[in-house]
Amino acid sequence: MLRNSLFRTARSGLQSMPALRASRTPSLLCQARRHLATVKAHEILEDKAAKTTNSDQWLKTVQGIDPFSKTQTRVYGSSSSSPVEEDSSPDNAVICPDHHSHELEHSIRDFLSTTRQRPRAGLKPDELVVKCPVCSPGKSRRLAYSAHLNTNTGAFVCTGCFEQGSWDKYQELAKRRNFQNTIPKSRATDPPPFEFAETTLMQLQTNLANHEEIYAALTGQEKGQLRLRPEMLAQYGVGLGFVNTAIPEILDLEALVKGCDHSVPCLVFPRTAFRTNSFIESSKDSGAALDPAQPVISTGRARGQGSAALSSMIEDASDSTGAAASLPDSASLSEFCTVQLKIVGWNIADLEMYVPVDEAQPGLFGFHVASAESPDIILTGHELDAVAAYQETGIPAVSLPKGPYQLPLDAMRALERYERVYVWLDDDHQGAAAAELITRKLGVDRCMVVHTKGGDPQGPKSASIALARGLDLTSILERSQPVQHDKVLDFSALREAVKFEVTNPDLIRGVESTDLPGWNASFKGLRPGELTILSGATGSGKTTVISQMSLDFCKSGVSTLWGSFEIPNVRLATRMMSQFAKRDVSKVPSDIDYWSRKFEQLPMYFLKFHGSTKPDTVLETMRHAVYAYDVKHIIIDNLQFMMSMQAKGMDKYDAQDAAIATFRQFATDEGVHITVVAHLRKDQPASDVDINSIFGSAKVTQEADNVVILQRYGNSDSKVRCLNVLKNRFDGTLGKIYISYNPETLGFTEIPAPRKRKSIKIIKSAVRLSMADRLVAEAEAGGSFEDIIDDQGNELTPASERPLR
């Protein structure tokens, strides 16, 4: 077949590229890829209709090896178990019938029908998204679907609680928890997934084509314009909507399309997924639906090109280029549907919304473009970067779903079938750290990191900016490098990093605080890989300060994990929501739902521990959170409560030292910032507090990169506090940050340093003073007694201020 020939040509070109096992010319390779994508798009529907059941199963197996699979079920046309030759057509591959697999299939169908579930198609062809038997009770229906079930092996894994196991374990846990009873009796089954109307998505794309300013900024060829081709925007389904910024959630899609007086324009990026899979389709064909009463799954909406808006885009492109672009027709993409919309404000940095808010069926922007035939894929941090990368390189590109630095488990499973993953994030300090973390999660042996700047400090930091400057993205991709081993380094590996740090001092700063500018002046922001110790007297406000600061960093996109061993999570979340709203929400119950929806969109997570907990248990949970949610900031509040009653006598100091050493190593290995709240020694006077006043041995402060003590300023009723920076390993800046508590916002505000008042003593009669009193007065005045008091006891003018004679 022509498609197979082109596929082998493109693949052979890949294996001979310089940095990627290749050395063919970029134009030839790019041309082969584009021909492959065009031919594949036009033939996929015809092939699907003509394929037999066996070839459908073959397509399912070649798209990736599932991590739960114990055996390889694929065999080849002959009785020999050896694989066919490389040039053999894969259409000859057949699947050996397995009686056990048929029994497992019937068991899955019957059980899902009994529990009245509506399984969704996962991001892998042999995967279903079903309810988790452990964490779904008590959750909304949309959030309950968090378990990914492999239809070949029956193994499952939950992306919410990390429970995993075999199909027998799934049934056992489900029967024990009886989670099917969480469905109200008024409903016979769960409602279908969120469905987007065809006309709504068409109108969103029409809005983009009709908005001259934004459309020109995306497709124009002038300086400062992104130079994206209209057919690429059409293929990815990018649209334009209008959002009222005063409303935290989009409840009416019609309002998103038409807007109102107070709405602002926003780009709309659709996330797509499989509409269905072979497991669900075969159940329809056989008449054994999972739910006899209703259809198995919603039809959703195909990511097709049948709208008037897209047609106009294509016509505009053909007029400007002289030839119509080769695009797949709508039928060729009918196996995909839109599962969620991401709305990003145009020229508004902090506006980001989702419809629906809770992602029932996982999806990715550009998932329908990433075909199974392609061995490579590009992973970007932003949606427009994905469009630009695919347009210029011909390699399918998708974007991260949870911000530019987070890779959830759903997206990881969708990328398992690709041989090579190009991680193309922002080329800055945070992007480099995130790329290193993501490559470790996906596997360093198959990941290549793309550096857009190429060592130039003034270079573009992302793919879309590079395209806007007219650079060759294919050559940038070819310069990508694998992640180096992080345990053995020479100076050649550090040379560029040293040069970057010296020439760009502002870029190596961490995430800065918006509430406390003095914190930025001392610490230069929150950086990964560091350990901070925050201490203070009981009742001084340590938890209030650290909760406010963690919320401040979280609003800047730092995924945060809170471990509160002293205060229950409900009480802590209530306080943080009030700090987030800058008002006491408990006094206005009608606003709780509003602020809850906004607070829920923050990447904030909580540990389910309270009181004494073993450090190994906490560490294991922290590692899961870093892996699954890309957590960058972890708070332990506090160390003494976590270690309570785990050791006695002098052993408790050794246990505390071991815990601190463990946290220190974890911060370094995982690239996260850990803040540990610790108590002061009880026998330490408040006026003599220093770095040695923290409870425990000296190892606590020796292991820490930063040490801060919260102290009261003034009397016990004063609302002024002082953050005393006693250690700063980054650049050695020390000092004091003065803050004042505001009871209305339940938070602190930075204030200038208070002025010290000078105490003035009035001496009435100097002649009656004793010699001891005279000496004290002289010491306080800094001069001889006769210079400041006359014979009658009156205070004299200082000599420096007396007029010259």
Side-chain angles (χ1 to χ4, degrees):
M1 295 174 61
L2 175 60
R3 180 184 59 185
N4 295 331
S5 176
L6 287 172
F7 175 61
R8 288 193 297 271
T9 302
R11 185 158 185 162
S12 63
L14 275 176
Q15 294 174 349
S16 57
M17 277 176 57
L20 329 165
R21 317 183 305 265
S23 137
R24 289 182 181 260
T25 60
S27 58
L28 178 60
L29 177 60
C30 185
Q31 183 179 7
R33 284 177 175 144
R34 289 175 179 170
H35 278 300
L36 170 63
T38 303
V39 175
K40 178 260 174 185
H42 284 84
E43 292 186 356
I44 185 171
L45 179 66
E46 300 174 2
D47 291 346
K48 184 176 180 180
K51 283 179 180 178
T52 61
T53 304
N54 289 340
S55 59
D56 280 338
Q57 293 176 344
W58 169 85
L59 178 62
K60 180 172 60 178
T61 52
V62 298
Q63 287 180 336
I65 300 176
D66 193 272
F68 300 112
S69 299
K70 304 299 182 182
T71 58
Q72 188 82 7
T73 58
R74 178 182 174 186
V75 297
Y76 298 86
S78 62
S79 59
S80 173
S81 59
S82 60
V84 295
E85 296 182 0
E86 184 176 353
D87 292 336
S88 299
S89 173
D91 292 334
N92 294 329
V94 297
I95 301 297
C96 179
D98 188 357
H99 179 69
H100 175 71
S101 62
H102 291 295
E103 291 182 351
L104 177 62
E105 181 179 340
H106 288 297
S107 176
I108 294 175
R109 297 186 195 283
D110 294 341
F111 191 81
L112 296 182
S113 176
T114 303
T115 54
R116 298 174 293 176
Q117 297 189 52
R118 281 184 179 270
R120 282 78 163 154
L123 292 177
K124 298 176 63 177
D126 53 355
E127 185 176 77
L128 293 178
V129 180
V130 296
K131 284 187 176 181
C132 175
V134 176
C135 65
S136 64
K139 290 185 177 180
S140 62
R141 297 182 183 89
R142 198 175 300 279
L143 294 178
Y145 283 86
S146 58
H148 297 253
L149 179 66
N150 187 295
T151 57
N152 291 334
T153 64
F156 77 97
V157 59
C158 177
T159 57
C161 65
F162 309 111
E163 187 67 37
Q164 58 181 333
S166 62
W167 172 243
D168 293 335
K169 182 179 180 180
Y170 182 90
Q171 297 180 89
E172 179 184 355
L173 293 174
K175 293 176 181 177
R176 184 188 309 170
R177 300 298 300 272
N178 200 22
F179 66 83
Q180 62 267 31
N181 290 338
T182 59
I183 304 175
K185 295 182 179 180
S186 59
R187 292 185 180 271
T189 185
D190 282 346
F194 191 91
E195 181 176 348
F196 291 93
E198 172 76 18
T199 55
T200 300
L201 297 176
M202 290 170 56
Q203 291 170 348
L204 291 173
Q205 297 168 53
T206 302
N207 291 344
L208 179 60
N210 294 335
H211 200 290
E212 296 182 1
E213 178 184 357
I214 298 179
Y215 187 72
L218 295 178
T219 61
Q221 303 294 319
E222 302 296 331
K223 182 179 180 180
Q225 297 177 333
L226 294 184
R227 306 185 183 187
L228 297 173
R229 292 202 295 266
E231 59 267 25
M232 289 294 105
L233 295 174
Q235 188 167 356
Y236 276 89
V238 180
L240 183 71
F242 303 93
V243 173
N244 186 353
T245 56
I247 303 176
E249 186 176 357
I250 298 177
L251 303 176
D252 185 8
L253 291 179
E254 190 68 22
L256 175 65
V257 174
K258 297 182 178 180
C260 62
D261 296 337
H262 305 287
S263 59
V264 296
C266 301
L267 291 178
V268 179
F269 301 108
R271 292 179 177 172
T272 56
F274 285 122
R275 177 189 299 275
T276 182
N277 57 28
S278 58
F279 185 88
I280 299 177
E281 287 293 338
S282 60
S283 67
K284 292 181 180 180
D285 297 339
S286 62
L290 298 178
D291 182 7
Q294 298 189 22
V296 177
I297 194 168
S298 156
T299 58
R301 190 259 186 186
R303 269 266 51 86
Q305 313 293 338
S307 67
L310 303 187
S311 300
S312 63
M313 289 184 186
I314 299 171
E315 291 175 2
D316 294 340
S318 62
D319 293 340
S320 60
T321 59
S326 298
L327 292 175
D329 53 21
S330 59
S332 64
L333 298 176
S334 60
E335 59 179 315
F336 303 100
C337 65
T338 300
V339 296
Q340 192 179 41
L341 298 179
K342 178 181 178 181
I343 295 96
V344 179
W346 179 257
N347 291 333
I348 302 178
D350 57 347
L351 178 56
E352 183 175 306
M353 308 175 76
Y354 299 90
V355 180
V357 177
D358 302 326
E359 191 174 351
Q361 183 175 355
L364 287 174
F365 177 77
F367 180 78
H368 59 283
V369 176
S371 62
E373 285 80 359
S374 174
D376 303 334
I377 193 170
I378 299 175
L379 182 64
T380 66
H382 304 281
E383 287 75 11
L384 294 180
D385 291 338
V387 179
Y390 179 51
Q391 171 181 307
E392 298 300 311
T393 65
I395 300 177
V398 297
S399 65
L400 292 170
K402 298 293 184 181
Y405 307 124
Q406 300 180 46
L407 179 65
L409 294 181
D410 291 334
M412 286 181 55
R413 298 176 63 79
L415 301 176
E416 285 177 356
R417 66 175 185 260
Y418 296 99
E419 299 177 6
R420 180 73 65 186
V421 180
Y422 296 96
V423 182
W424 200 336
L425 306 183
D426 290 350
D427 195 0
D428 54 14
H429 183 68
Q430 293 180 339
E436 183 177 355
L437 175 63
I438 289 174
T439 53
R440 289 206 305 264
K441 295 173 70 173
L442 294 176
V444 294
D445 294 336
R446 68 189 186 107
C447 290
M448 305 288 287
V449 179
V450 183
H451 300 282
T452 314
K453 293 184 177 180
D456 182 8
Q458 304 301 324
K461 75 172 186 177
S462 64
S464 58
I465 298 178
L467 178 61
R469 295 186 182 182
L471 301 181
D472 186 0
L473 268 63
T474 301
S475 62
I476 295 177
L477 185 76
E478 292 175 355
R479 294 197 302 265
S480 60
Q481 297 291 333
V483 177
Q484 301 294 329
H485 200 287
D486 58 350
K487 301 302 180 183
V488 180
L489 295 175
D490 55 10
F491 183 75
S492 62
L494 299 174
R495 180 176 179 178
E496 293 299 326
V498 172
K499 179 181 177 182
F500 180 84
E501 184 167 331
V502 172
T503 57
N504 301 275
D506 293 336
L507 297 181
I508 63 174
R509 297 166 66 100
V511 179
E512 297 189 346
S513 171
T514 57
D515 291 346
L516 302 178
W519 183 276
N520 304 328
S522 297
F523 292 107
K524 312 304 184 294
L526 185 81
R527 287 174 299 279
E530 293 187 358
L531 175 66
T532 297
I533 300 295
L534 174 64
S535 186
T538 302
S540 59
K542 298 186 297 295
T543 302
T544 303
V545 168
I546 193 60
S547 66
Q548 178 181 349
M549 294 187 64
S550 65
L551 187 62
D552 185 12
F553 293 126
C554 191
K555 289 188 292 185
S556 299
V558 179
S559 185
T560 305
L561 178 66
W562 245 98
S564 178
F565 299 87
E566 181 178 2
I567 300 176
N569 285 332
V570 175
R571 191 176 307 165
L572 174 64
T574 303
R575 176 183 299 177
M576 295 182 70
M577 189 187 301
S578 298
Q579 293 176 334
F580 179 66
K582 297 188 182 303
R583 68 185 71 175
D584 191 351
V585 295
S586 62
K587 296 181 179 179
V588 190
S590 58
D591 294 344
I592 292 180
D593 291 337
Y594 174 86
W595 290 110
S596 296
R597 289 194 297 268
K598 291 187 70 71
F599 190 86
E600 193 175 17
Q601 298 180 14
L602 297 176
M604 180 74 71
Y605 308 94
F606 300 89
L607 288 175
K608 294 177 62 177
F609 298 122
H610 187 71
S612 179
T613 309
K614 293 183 178 180
D616 291 341
T617 304
V618 178
L619 197 70
E620 181 181 358
T621 309
M622 288 164 51
R623 185 170 286 108
H624 273 296
V626 171
Y627 181 79
Y629 305 116
D630 295 314
V631 167
K632 292 296 184 182
H633 188 198
I634 301 175
I635 297 99
I636 303 296
D637 184 19
N638 61 57
L639 182 63
Q640 281 70 34
F641 269 81
M642 188 190 75
M643 302 296 299
S644 176
M645 303 305 294
Q646 296 187 26
K648 296 181 180 180
M650 297 301 296
D651 293 338
K652 64 183 178 182
Y653 295 107
D654 295 336
Q656 179 174 301
D657 291 347
I660 288 293
T662 301
F663 291 145
R664 164 74 271 173
Q665 189 65 34
F666 184 88
T668 302
D669 294 342
E670 301 297 336
V672 301
H673 191 108
I674 299 180
T675 301
V676 178
V677 180
H679 283 164
L680 293 175
R681 297 203 311 264
K682 299 299 182 183
D683 58 347
Q684 184 72 31
S687 59
D688 299 333
V689 170
D690 58 10
I691 196 171
N692 299 316
S693 303
I694 298 176
F695 182 84
S697 67
K699 188 176 181 63
V700 176
T701 56
Q702 290 173 354
E703 293 281 358
D705 297 283
N706 312 302
V707 177
V708 185
I709 295 183
L710 181 65
Q711 299 174 266
R712 291 182 180 273
Y713 184 87
N715 55 34
S716 58
D717 297 331
S718 175
K719 297 180 181 179
V720 178
R721 302 288 189 272
C722 172
L723 287 169
N724 193 359
V725 181
L726 300 177
K727 183 179 181 181
N728 179 5
R729 190 171 284 167
F730 179 69
D731 63 358
T733 303
L734 306 180
K736 294 183 179 180
I737 307 168
Y738 292 91
I739 55 179
S740 177
Y741 180 73
N742 188 346
E744 295 182 358
T745 62
L746 277 70
F748 287 91
T749 305
E750 186 171 342
I751 61 174
R755 293 183 178 180
K756 294 183 178 180
R757 296 182 178 179
K758 296 182 178 180
S759 58
I760 301 176
K761 294 183 179 180
I762 300 177
I763 304 176
K764 294 183 178 180
S765 178
V767 296
R768 297 180 181 179
L769 292 177
S770 64
M771 182 58 67
D773 293 334
R774 291 168 65 93
L775 293 175
V776 171
E778 288 179 355
E780 292 180 351
S784 64
F785 189 76
E786 287 77 6
D787 292 338
I788 61 174
I789 299 296
D790 59 12
D791 294 338
Q792 286 75 31
N794 299 320
E795 186 176 356
L796 296 177
T797 304
S800 60
E801 299 179 5
R802 296 174 188 172
L804 297 175
R805 295 180 180 177

